[in-house]
């Protein structure tokens, strides 16, 4: 059972990336606790989705892209690979921005140099995982999640300006106007990440493990995967809710003068709370950006090998997909525009990954005794359909 624990923490990093930080802080600063329920609901769906992805990997011994290559037409797999690579590229944009901001705040490092350092760190993380060192990679992801949570918690406590009553009221589903609706859709769109689905289905498999062993103990496998996903993604959910509360506190401390800008948040924390609070905020951004970029890099490896079974050098391919983010930072493209563009592209890949996941997990010939029950398939389909609808509608709202 313990052999199945750990991959959930790698997937969880995708749920506390710089895009989540920016969206949640802005939501707290502009709408208060109004959208706490959206974070919780989206996170519950994410736990279900990642559990399905992990179960698929354990039950079949293959990643979702590999299974697609084996069972779907070749032309379709080529299209699936193209859209998956676009999702990875868009993910790199947001993660590189977060890491670059963190390095700039911590070391005064120019954005171009910060982008290059992020690329090097991401490649080193990929190399660790590719050489079979799964446990160190998973422990590093868990440590990053802990550091991000600690940074948010420290700033939340020291900033103050919290209302427990209003915070509890945030669990009641409601929307107040078009601005809060757009933020709610942004939170949902940034929560269920396609690259995390592909990646989790790959890393849930253990070296030397065969599907037969999982098929012999389906109940034990389900318990282990539920525990792994529940702990890791439950922790990510708490961090995301705390980010909204921190946004509320910062807005209150500045008499609503701060509305979510990450650079201004660092300045306000340093001026009003102290240098250590500003330091923790910068470390949080850096840990989020670096760890999530490493996860994105590994996801890129998974989708190409899975969908195409190509032997193109991984380092070369990753340099190509990271190049747009590096170039954009070097030429000084506005950071907000980068985040919006990345969200648009990522959201377009959500329905595809969810459809593939539900399609295979419902098939007993593929999953054996680990196949979804009818109730699970219905719930996963409805939840996935809702997230997919949000993902498809978000680009339209952002571009209007």
């Amino acid at each position: 059972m313990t052999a199945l624990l750990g991959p959930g923490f790698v997937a969880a990093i995708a749920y506390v990336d710089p895009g989540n930080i920016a969206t949640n802080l802005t939501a707290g600063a502009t709408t208060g606790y109004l959208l706490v329920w959206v974070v919780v609901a989206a996170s519950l769906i994410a736990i279900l989705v990642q559990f399905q992805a992990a179960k698929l990997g354990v039950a079949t011994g293959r990643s979702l892209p590999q299974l697609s290559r084996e069972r779907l037409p070749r032309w379709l797999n080529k299209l699936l690979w193209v859209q998956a690579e676009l999702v990875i590229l868009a993910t790199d944009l947001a993660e590189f921005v977060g890491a670059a901001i963190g390095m700039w705040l911590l070391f005064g490092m120019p954005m171009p140099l910060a982008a290059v350092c992020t690329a090097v760190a991401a490649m080193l993380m990929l190399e660790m995982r590719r050489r079979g060192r799964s446990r160190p990679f998973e422990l590093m992801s868990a440590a990053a999640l802990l550091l991000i949570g600690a940074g948010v918690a420290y700033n939340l406590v020291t900033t103050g300006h919290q209302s427990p009553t209003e915070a509890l009221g945030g669990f009641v589903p409601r929307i107040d106007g078009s601005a809060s609706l757009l933020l709610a859709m942004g939170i949902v769109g940034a929560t269920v990440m396609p690259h995390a689905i592909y990646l989790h289905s790959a890393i849930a498999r253990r070296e030397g493990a065969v599907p037969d062993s999982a098929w012999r103990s389906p109940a034990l496998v389900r318990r282990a995967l539920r525990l792994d996903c529940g702990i890791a993604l439950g922790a990510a959910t708490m961090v995301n809710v705390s980010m909204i509360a921190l946004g509320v506190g910062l807005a209150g401390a500045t008499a609503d003068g701060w509305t979510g800008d990450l650079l201004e948040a660092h300045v306000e924390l340093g001026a009003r709370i102290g240098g250590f609070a500003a330091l923790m905020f910068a470390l949080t951004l850096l840990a989020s950006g670096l760890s999530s970029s490493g996860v994105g890099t590994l996801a890129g490896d998974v989708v190409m090998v899975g969908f195409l079974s190509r032997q193109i050098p991984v380092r070369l391919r990753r340099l190509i997909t990271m190049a747009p983010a590096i170039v954009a930072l070097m030429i000084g493209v506005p950071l907000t525009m980068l985040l919006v563009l990345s969200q648009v592209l990522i959201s377009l890949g959500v329905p595809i990954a969810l459809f593939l996941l539900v399609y295979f997990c419902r098939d007993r010939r593929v999953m054996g005794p680990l196949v979804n029950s009818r109730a699970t398939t219905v719930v996963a389909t409805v939840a996935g359909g809702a997230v997919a609808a949000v993902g498809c509608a978000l680009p339209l709202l952002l571009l209007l």
Side-chain angles (χ1 to χ4, degrees):
M1 180 173 176
T2 55
L4 295 174
L5 302 179
F9 287 93
V10 178
I13 289 297
Y15 294 89
V16 290
D17 71 0
N20 289 89
I21 294 176
T23 304
N24 290 326
L25 287 178
T26 301
T30 58
T31 67
Y33 303 100
L34 178 70
L35 301 179
V36 167
W37 70 273
V38 178
V39 173
V40 174
S43 297
L44 289 176
I45 294 174
I47 292 173
L48 174 63
V49 169
Q50 295 301 147
F51 168 71
Q52 301 296 305
K55 189 172 66 168
L56 179 111
V58 173
T60 65
R62 295 167 177 80
S63 68
L64 182 57
Q66 285 177 319
L67 204 58
S68 299
R69 188 185 75 242
E70 293 175 2
R71 294 177 174 267
L72 298 177
R74 184 176 180 181
W75 64 267
L76 181 56
N77 276 288
K78 289 182 178 179
L79 293 178
L80 290 171
W81 169 71
V82 170
Q83 65 82 32
E85 288 289 3
L86 288 175
V87 167
I88 300 299
L89 184 150
T91 303
D92 281 340
L93 283 173
E95 292 162 353
F96 269 68
V97 168
I101 292 175
M103 289 185 180
W104 181 60
L105 295 177
L106 277 173
F107 310 115
M109 186 180 294
M111 286 292 183
L113 180 58
V116 172
C117 289
T118 302
V120 172
M123 295 300 292
L124 289 175
M125 293 177 71
L126 173 62
E127 195 64 26
M128 176 184 293
R129 181 59 176 79
R130 287 183 68 232
R131 292 185 177 182
R133 302 178 64 186
S134 298
R135 279 303 186 193
F137 187 81
E138 291 163 4
L139 290 173
M140 185 165 51
S141 298
L145 182 60
L146 178 62
L147 176 58
I148 295 166
V152 173
Y154 177 83
N155 283 323
L156 175 63
V157 172
T158 54
T159 301
H161 290 82
Q162 300 295 321
S163 170
T165 302
E166 292 181 13
L168 289 175
F171 286 90
V172 179
R174 55 198 173 94
I175 293 292
D176 184 16
S178 58
S180 63
L181 175 62
L182 183 60
L183 277 171
M185 295 180 71
I187 290 172
V188 174
T191 299
V192 182
M193 306 292 282
H195 75 291
I197 297 173
Y198 297 130
L199 176 61
H200 204 171
S201 67
I203 62 177
R205 303 168 298 162
R206 290 301 185 190
E207 294 296 329
V210 293
D212 288 348
S213 61
W215 286 27
R216 287 194 296 269
S217 306
L220 182 63
V221 170
R222 285 191 174 94
R223 283 199 299 271
L225 295 180
R226 286 194 190 104
L227 182 63
D228 189 38
C229 292
I231 293 175
L233 295 172
T237 302
M238 293 178 61
V239 172
N240 281 315
V241 171
S242 298
M243 288 176 189
I244 287 187
L246 176 58
V248 174
L250 273 172
T254 59
D256 296 327
W258 178 79
T259 57
D261 183 83
L262 296 180
L263 299 180
E264 291 181 7
H266 181 262
V267 173
E268 294 291 348
L269 285 168
R272 298 175 183 276
I273 310 301
F276 189 71
L279 174 64
M280 289 301 293
F281 184 79
L283 284 173
T284 297
L285 269 176
L286 181 59
S288 172
L290 285 179
S291 58
S292 58
S293 66
V295 169
T297 301
L298 181 56
D301 188 28
V302 168
V303 298
M304 186 170 202
V305 173
F307 284 124
L308 299 185
S309 190
R310 296 286 186 179
Q311 299 300 317
I312 297 174
V314 176
R315 296 181 186 88
L316 174 61
R317 184 186 57 78
R318 288 311 296 149
L319 287 174
I320 293 173
T321 57
M322 290 188 293
I326 296 174
V327 171
L329 288 172
M330 286 184 172
I331 64 177
V333 174
L335 301 185
T336 300
M337 187 179 77
L338 281 179
L339 291 175
V340 171
L341 177 61
S342 68
Q343 185 59 65
V344 170
L345 290 176
I346 291 171
S347 64
L348 294 176
V350 170
I352 297 172
L354 291 179
F355 171 78
L356 289 174
L357 185 63
V358 174
Y359 176 75
F360 288 122
C361 285
R362 58 177 282 280
D363 191 340
R364 183 171 292 276
R365 293 170 299 177
V366 174
M367 300 292 292
L370 289 168
V371 66
N372 281 353
S373 66
R374 185 178 297 274
T376 301
T377 297
V378 170
V379 172
T381 301
V382 172
V387 173
V390 170
C392 291
L394 182 59
L396 297 177
L397 288 179
L398 289 173
L399 296 174
L400 288 177

